[in-house]
Amino acid sequence: NPELSGQELRTAALVAEHMPQFDPATIELRSSSKGTYLSLTLLLRVESRVQLEAVYRAVAAHPWVRVVL
């Protein structure tokens, strides 16, 4: 995805560590109204709760990430 920068690509790499089939081209980007924050939307099809929790922990632990829903 040509719109992805270093931060977004790192997030995609964290997800791909636990979900090799993840396609970074599916990431949706939105800036906050003041441009202070960038929101990433990732649609994931997980195979187990263990996999979901592993992805959640990996992304939430990254210093650039403020909130994971």
Side-chain angles (χ1 to χ4, degrees):
N1 188 337
E3 298 176 29
L4 299 182
S5 69
Q7 294 176 5
E8 296 86 36
L9 290 172
R10 179 63 188 136
T11 302
L14 288 171
V15 172
E17 288 176 20
H18 302 281
M19 302 183 70
Q21 74 279 16
F22 175 68
D23 180 5
T26 63
I27 296 176
E28 295 179 22
L29 306 173
R30 283 186 299 282
S31 293
S32 64
S33 60
K34 294 182 181 181
T36 307
Y37 296 100
L38 179 65
S39 167
L40 278 65
T41 300
L42 292 77
L43 298 176
L44 307 174
R45 292 186 193 261
V46 296
E47 297 176 7
S48 68
R49 184 169 185 89
V50 171
Q51 185 182 41
L52 174 63
E53 290 172 353
V55 171
Y56 181 90
R57 281 192 306 273
V59 174
H62 195 280
W64 291 334
V65 174
R66 297 291 174 241
V67 176
V68 179
L69 301 174

